[in-house]
Amino acid sequence: MRVEQLGDGEADLAIVAAIHGDEPGGVEAIDRLRSNGANVERPVKLIVANEKALDAGERYLDADLNRAFDEDVPEDAHERELARELADAVQGCTVLSLHSTQSSARPFAISPGLDDSTRAIVPQLSVAALVRTGHDVEGRLFATDATIIEVETGYQRSVEAAENAYRIALEFLTATGALPGYTVSTDLSVYDLGEPVEKPPADEYEVFAENFTHVDAGETYAAADGEGLTADEGFYPVLFSAYGYEHIFGYTGSFAGTLQTTEDGTATLTAD
Protein backbone atom coordinates (compact mmCIF):
# COMPACT_ATOMS: atom_id res chain seq x y z
CA MET A 1 0.00 0.00 0.00
CA ARG A 2 1.30 3.43 -0.98
CA VAL A 3 0.46 6.35 1.31
CA GLU A 4 1.57 9.87 0.46
CA GLN A 5 0.42 13.25 1.73
CA LEU A 6 -0.25 16.69 0.38
CA GLY A 7 0.31 19.42 2.96
CA ASP A 8 1.84 19.34 6.41
CA GLY A 9 0.35 18.19 9.68
CA GLU A 10 -2.06 15.47 10.78
CA ALA A 11 -4.39 14.71 7.89
CA ASP A 12 -8.08 14.10 8.51
CA LEU A 13 -8.91 13.90 4.80
CA ALA A 14 -8.01 11.02 2.50
CA ILE A 15 -8.49 9.94 -1.10
CA VAL A 16 -8.26 6.19 -1.70
CA ALA A 17 -7.82 4.41 -5.03
CA ALA A 18 -7.20 0.81 -6.15
CA ILE A 19 -9.34 -0.89 -3.56
CA HIS A 20 -9.74 -3.14 -6.60
CA GLY A 21 -6.75 -3.70 -8.85
CA ASP A 22 -8.79 -3.67 -12.07
CA GLU A 23 -9.95 -0.08 -11.42
CA PRO A 24 -6.92 2.08 -12.30
CA GLY A 25 -8.73 5.37 -12.96
CA GLY A 26 -8.53 6.50 -9.35
CA VAL A 27 -4.80 5.84 -9.28
CA GLU A 28 -4.35 8.08 -12.31
CA ALA A 29 -6.29 10.81 -10.49
CA ILE A 30 -4.11 10.47 -7.37
CA ASP A 31 -0.93 10.57 -9.46
CA ARG A 32 -2.13 13.76 -11.15
CA LEU A 33 -2.85 15.37 -7.78
CA ARG A 34 0.58 14.39 -6.51
CA SER A 35 2.44 15.54 -9.62
CA ASN A 36 0.53 18.83 -9.76
CA GLY A 37 1.71 19.60 -6.23
CA ALA A 38 -1.58 21.18 -5.21
CA ASN A 39 -1.11 23.84 -2.53
CA VAL A 40 -3.67 22.45 -0.10
CA GLU A 41 -4.97 24.38 2.88
CA ARG A 42 -5.74 21.17 4.79
CA PRO A 43 -3.45 18.12 4.63
CA VAL A 44 -4.81 15.12 2.75
CA LYS A 45 -3.60 11.53 2.46
CA LEU A 46 -3.36 9.97 -1.00
CA ILE A 47 -3.63 6.19 -0.73
CA VAL A 48 -3.16 3.54 -3.43
CA ALA A 49 -4.50 0.51 -1.61
CA ASN A 50 -3.98 -2.80 -3.39
CA GLU A 51 -0.77 -2.23 -5.34
CA LYS A 52 -0.12 -5.93 -5.95
CA ALA A 53 -3.55 -6.48 -7.49
CA LEU A 54 -3.10 -3.28 -9.51
CA ASP A 55 0.23 -4.55 -10.89
CA ALA A 56 -1.42 -7.88 -11.73
CA GLY A 57 -4.39 -6.18 -13.37
CA GLU A 58 -6.73 -8.24 -11.21
CA ARG A 59 -9.61 -7.22 -8.94
CA TYR A 60 -7.81 -8.85 -6.00
CA LEU A 61 -5.25 -11.57 -5.24
CA ASP A 62 -6.83 -13.66 -2.45
CA ALA A 63 -9.99 -11.83 -1.35
CA ASP A 64 -12.00 -8.76 -2.31
CA LEU A 65 -10.38 -5.96 -0.30
CA ASN A 66 -13.71 -4.16 0.00
CA ARG A 67 -15.10 -7.25 1.75
CA ALA A 68 -12.02 -7.92 3.90
CA PHE A 69 -12.69 -5.68 6.91
CA ASP A 70 -13.96 -8.45 9.17
CA GLU A 71 -12.82 -11.80 10.54
CA ASP A 72 -14.25 -13.99 7.74
CA VAL A 73 -11.25 -13.53 5.43
CA PRO A 74 -8.50 -16.17 5.76
CA GLU A 75 -5.65 -14.99 7.94
CA ASP A 76 -3.06 -15.69 5.23
CA ALA A 77 -4.93 -13.73 2.54
CA HIS A 78 -2.98 -10.78 1.17
CA GLU A 79 -6.05 -8.54 1.51
CA ARG A 80 -6.61 -9.45 5.18
CA GLU A 81 -3.48 -7.64 6.39
CA LEU A 82 -3.98 -4.93 3.78
CA ALA A 83 -7.43 -4.21 5.18
CA ARG A 84 -5.93 -3.71 8.63
CA GLU A 85 -3.33 -1.30 7.25
CA LEU A 86 -5.93 0.63 5.29
CA ALA A 87 -8.27 0.86 8.28
CA ASP A 88 -5.43 2.33 10.34
CA ALA A 89 -4.51 4.78 7.58
CA VAL A 90 -8.03 6.24 7.25
CA GLN A 91 -8.97 6.19 10.94
CA GLY A 92 -10.75 9.40 11.87
CA CYS A 93 -10.66 10.71 8.29
CA THR A 94 -13.30 11.88 5.85
CA VAL A 95 -12.54 9.69 2.85
CA LEU A 96 -13.26 9.77 -0.87
CA SER A 97 -12.90 6.22 -2.19
CA LEU A 98 -12.61 6.14 -5.99
CA HIS A 99 -13.98 3.16 -7.91
CA SER A 100 -15.10 2.26 -11.41
CA THR A 101 -17.66 -0.20 -12.67
CA GLN A 102 -19.04 -2.17 -15.61
CA SER A 103 -22.54 -0.85 -15.02
CA SER A 104 -22.60 2.89 -15.70
CA ALA A 105 -20.68 5.63 -17.48
CA ARG A 106 -22.31 8.26 -15.26
CA PRO A 107 -20.60 8.72 -11.88
CA PHE A 108 -22.66 8.11 -8.75
CA ALA A 109 -21.92 8.07 -5.03
CA ILE A 110 -22.43 5.35 -2.43
CA SER A 111 -22.57 5.83 1.33
CA PRO A 112 -23.92 3.84 4.28
CA GLY A 113 -26.24 6.70 5.28
CA LEU A 114 -26.66 10.47 5.32
CA ASP A 115 -24.52 11.89 8.10
CA ASP A 116 -23.68 15.59 8.20
CA SER A 117 -20.44 15.21 6.21
CA THR A 118 -22.11 13.18 3.47
CA ARG A 119 -24.98 15.68 3.21
CA ALA A 120 -22.52 18.55 2.92
CA ILE A 121 -20.06 17.00 0.47
CA VAL A 122 -21.89 14.74 -1.98
CA PRO A 123 -24.17 17.44 -3.50
CA GLN A 124 -20.98 19.33 -4.44
CA LEU A 125 -19.64 16.37 -6.46
CA SER A 126 -20.56 15.89 -10.12
CA VAL A 127 -22.46 12.65 -9.56
CA ALA A 128 -25.82 11.55 -10.96
CA ALA A 129 -27.20 9.99 -7.76
CA LEU A 130 -26.46 8.84 -4.23
CA VAL A 131 -27.05 5.24 -3.15
CA ARG A 132 -27.50 4.47 0.55
CA THR A 133 -26.44 0.97 1.53
CA GLY A 134 -28.09 1.15 4.95
CA HIS A 135 -26.37 -0.64 7.81
CA ASP A 136 -25.35 -3.76 5.86
CA VAL A 137 -21.67 -2.76 5.70
CA GLU A 138 -20.03 -5.78 7.31
CA GLY A 139 -16.63 -6.43 5.80
CA ARG A 140 -16.57 -3.19 3.80
CA LEU A 141 -14.45 -0.08 4.12
CA PHE A 142 -17.65 1.61 5.37
CA ALA A 143 -17.25 -0.38 8.59
CA THR A 144 -14.01 1.40 9.53
CA ASP A 145 -13.73 4.31 11.94
CA ALA A 146 -13.99 6.89 9.17
CA THR A 147 -16.58 8.76 7.09
CA ILE A 148 -16.50 7.03 3.70
CA ILE A 149 -17.94 8.36 0.46
CA GLU A 150 -17.48 5.95 -2.43
CA VAL A 151 -17.84 7.20 -6.00
CA GLU A 152 -18.19 4.97 -9.04
CA THR A 153 -16.50 7.17 -11.63
CA GLY A 154 -17.44 5.37 -14.86
CA TYR A 155 -16.55 2.30 -16.88
CA GLN A 156 -13.50 0.34 -15.77
CA ARG A 157 -10.25 1.19 -17.55
CA SER A 158 -11.86 3.99 -19.56
CA VAL A 159 -10.28 7.40 -20.14
CA GLU A 160 -13.56 8.96 -19.02
CA ALA A 161 -13.46 7.20 -15.64
CA ALA A 162 -9.95 8.54 -14.98
CA GLU A 163 -10.98 12.07 -15.98
CA ASN A 164 -14.11 11.86 -13.84
CA ALA A 165 -12.06 10.59 -10.90
CA TYR A 166 -9.68 13.54 -11.12
CA ARG A 167 -12.48 16.10 -11.39
CA ILE A 168 -14.39 14.57 -8.49
CA ALA A 169 -11.21 14.45 -6.37
CA LEU A 170 -10.75 18.19 -6.94
CA GLU A 171 -14.40 18.81 -6.07
CA PHE A 172 -13.99 16.77 -2.87
CA LEU A 173 -10.94 18.76 -1.84
CA THR A 174 -12.71 22.03 -2.57
CA ALA A 175 -15.87 20.98 -0.75
CA THR A 176 -13.84 20.08 2.34
CA GLY A 177 -11.79 23.29 2.34
CA ALA A 178 -8.52 21.69 1.30
CA LEU A 179 -8.44 23.66 -1.94
CA PRO A 180 -9.61 27.23 -2.43
CA GLY A 181 -12.53 27.97 -4.68
CA TYR A 182 -16.20 27.19 -4.98
CA THR A 183 -18.33 24.30 -6.06
CA VAL A 184 -22.01 24.26 -6.97
CA SER A 185 -24.40 22.18 -4.89
CA THR A 186 -27.07 20.46 -6.95
CA ASP A 187 -30.24 18.61 -5.97
CA LEU A 188 -29.47 14.91 -5.90
CA SER A 189 -31.70 11.83 -6.21
CA VAL A 190 -31.16 9.35 -3.38
CA TYR A 191 -31.84 5.62 -3.65
CA ASP A 192 -31.85 2.91 -1.00
CA LEU A 193 -30.02 -0.28 -1.96
CA GLY A 194 -32.21 -3.36 -1.95
CA GLU A 195 -31.74 -7.04 -2.71
CA PRO A 196 -29.38 -8.63 -5.24
CA VAL A 197 -30.94 -9.80 -8.51
CA GLU A 198 -29.67 -13.31 -9.13
CA LYS A 199 -28.45 -14.62 -12.47
CA PRO A 200 -29.84 -17.99 -13.58
CA PRO A 201 -27.23 -20.42 -14.96
CA ALA A 202 -26.42 -19.49 -18.56
CA ASP A 203 -23.57 -18.97 -21.01
CA GLU A 204 -24.56 -15.51 -22.17
CA TYR A 205 -26.30 -12.61 -20.45
CA GLU A 206 -27.82 -9.34 -21.60
CA VAL A 207 -29.11 -6.40 -19.58
CA PHE A 208 -31.83 -4.11 -20.92
CA ALA A 209 -32.50 -2.08 -17.77
CA GLU A 210 -30.73 1.24 -17.26
CA ASN A 211 -29.37 2.15 -13.85
CA PHE A 212 -31.66 4.50 -11.87
CA THR A 213 -34.43 4.20 -14.49
CA HIS A 214 -37.52 2.49 -13.08
CA VAL A 215 -38.30 -1.06 -14.18
CA ASP A 216 -42.04 -1.73 -14.02
CA ALA A 217 -43.58 -4.99 -12.85
CA GLY A 218 -43.72 -7.35 -15.82
CA GLU A 219 -40.97 -5.50 -17.73
CA THR A 220 -38.11 -7.51 -19.21
CA TYR A 221 -34.91 -6.27 -17.52
CA ALA A 222 -32.36 -8.86 -18.73
CA ALA A 223 -31.94 -12.11 -20.64
CA ALA A 224 -30.07 -15.35 -20.01
CA ASP A 225 -29.17 -17.33 -23.13
CA GLY A 226 -31.72 -15.27 -25.02
CA GLU A 227 -34.59 -15.93 -22.62
CA GLY A 228 -36.07 -12.76 -21.17
CA LEU A 229 -36.32 -12.20 -17.42
CA THR A 230 -39.21 -10.08 -16.18
CA ALA A 231 -39.66 -8.18 -12.95
CA ASP A 232 -42.13 -9.51 -10.42
CA GLU A 233 -42.45 -6.01 -9.01
CA GLY A 234 -41.10 -2.60 -9.88
CA PHE A 235 -37.63 -1.44 -8.86
CA TYR A 236 -34.79 0.93 -9.75
CA PRO A 237 -31.71 -0.96 -11.04
CA VAL A 238 -28.46 -0.23 -9.20
CA LEU A 239 -25.04 -1.45 -10.38
CA PHE A 240 -26.73 -3.48 -13.12
CA SER A 241 -24.54 -5.07 -15.80
CA ALA A 242 -24.29 -8.32 -17.72
CA TYR A 243 -20.88 -9.39 -16.42
CA GLY A 244 -19.91 -7.02 -13.60
CA TYR A 245 -20.71 -9.68 -11.01
CA GLU A 246 -20.39 -13.43 -11.32
CA HIS A 247 -23.72 -14.48 -9.81
CA ILE A 248 -25.93 -11.37 -9.85
CA PHE A 249 -26.94 -8.70 -12.37
CA GLY A 250 -26.88 -6.02 -9.68
CA TYR A 251 -29.31 -4.80 -7.05
CA THR A 252 -32.83 -3.53 -6.74
CA GLY A 253 -33.16 0.00 -5.46
CA SER A 254 -35.96 2.18 -4.16
CA PHE A 255 -36.25 5.93 -4.58
CA ALA A 256 -35.79 7.61 -1.18
CA GLY A 257 -36.19 11.25 -2.21
CA THR A 258 -34.18 14.26 -3.30
CA LEU A 259 -31.30 15.74 -1.34
CA GLN A 260 -31.89 19.48 -1.64
CA THR A 261 -29.39 22.12 -0.52
CA THR A 262 -30.66 25.48 0.71
CA GLU A 263 -28.83 28.81 0.41
CA ASP A 264 -27.27 28.39 3.85
CA GLY A 265 -25.69 25.09 2.74
CA THR A 266 -28.05 22.81 4.66
CA ALA A 267 -28.99 19.65 2.75
CA THR A 268 -32.32 18.00 3.46
CA LEU A 269 -33.78 14.79 2.07
CA THR A 270 -37.29 15.49 0.82
CA ALA A 271 -39.75 12.92 -0.52
CA ASP A 272 -41.09 13.73 -3.96
Side-chain angles (χ1 to χ4, degrees):
M1 185 172 73
R2 169 160 55 101
V3 182
E4 298 172 289
Q5 183 167 310
L6 296 177
D8 299 324
E10 187 72 22
D12 61 356
L13 298 175
I15 299 176
V16 177
I19 291 284
H20 298 127
D22 58 354
E23 300 173 7
V27 180
E28 294 181 38
I30 278 181
D31 287 343
R32 286 178 68 179
L33 287 172
R34 180 176 53 81
S35 63
N36 289 349
N39 187 21
V40 293
E41 297 177 2
R42 291 177 65 184
V44 54
K45 294 180 182 180
L46 304 176
I47 301 173
V48 177
N50 201 340
E51 290 185 283
K52 289 186 177 180
L54 182 69
D55 290 343
E58 301 290 343
R59 186 173 178 83
Y60 54 81
L61 298 186
D62 301 315
D64 188 332
L65 178 56
N66 210 21
R67 302 294 186 275
F69 294 86
D70 61 19
E71 301 302 316
D72 293 336
V73 180
E75 187 68 33
D76 60 350
H78 165 65
E79 282 79 10
R80 174 70 177 269
E81 179 58 32
L82 193 57
R84 293 177 180 139
E85 294 176 11
L86 182 54
D88 287 343
V90 302
Q91 184 176 10
C93 290
T94 299
V95 180
L96 174 66
S97 182
L98 296 168
H99 292 258
S100 53
T101 175
Q102 293 189 33
S103 72
S104 177
R106 300 169 64 198
F108 62 93
I110 304 173
S111 71
L114 278 177
D115 62 15
D116 290 343
S117 293
T118 303
R119 288 173 185 269
I121 295 169
V122 175
Q124 299 183 65
L125 308 180
S126 49
V127 295
L130 171 63
V131 177
R132 297 189 301 189
T133 63
H135 298 291
D136 185 19
V137 296
E138 184 176 353
R140 299 191 65 175
L141 183 61
F142 289 141
T144 61
D145 182 20
T147 297
I148 309 294
I149 298 168
E150 287 187 359
V151 174
E152 299 285 354
T153 62
Y155 288 124
Q156 286 177 349
R157 305 184 190 280
S158 69
V159 172
E160 292 78 11
E163 288 295 327
N164 291 340
Y166 181 62
R167 183 184 67 254
I168 289 167
L170 292 176
E171 292 167 346
F172 171 78
L173 293 177
T174 304
T176 54
L179 287 179
Y182 300 92
T183 59
V184 177
S185 294
T186 59
D187 292 348
L188 197 63
S189 295
V190 179
Y191 299 84
D192 286 327
L193 194 68
E195 298 300 319
V197 179
E198 303 291 337
K199 288 179 175 177
D203 293 322
E204 294 185 355
Y205 298 98
E206 298 174 90
V207 164
F208 310 125
E210 184 177 345
N211 285 283
F212 307 117
T213 299
H214 193 264
V215 172
D216 296 328
E219 184 177 343
T220 300
Y221 61 84
D225 285 342
E227 183 175 347
L229 304 171
T230 58
D232 294 330
E233 55 187 36
F235 67 94
Y236 286 90
V238 179
L239 287 165
F240 251 57
S241 65
Y243 297 103
Y245 297 100
E246 184 176 0
H247 300 297
I248 65 174
F249 287 110
Y251 297 86
T252 63
S254 58
F255 180 69
T258 302
L259 192 60
Q260 297 179 321
T261 305
T262 59
E263 291 184 1
D264 66 359
T266 303
T268 304
L269 184 64
T270 60
D272 290 353

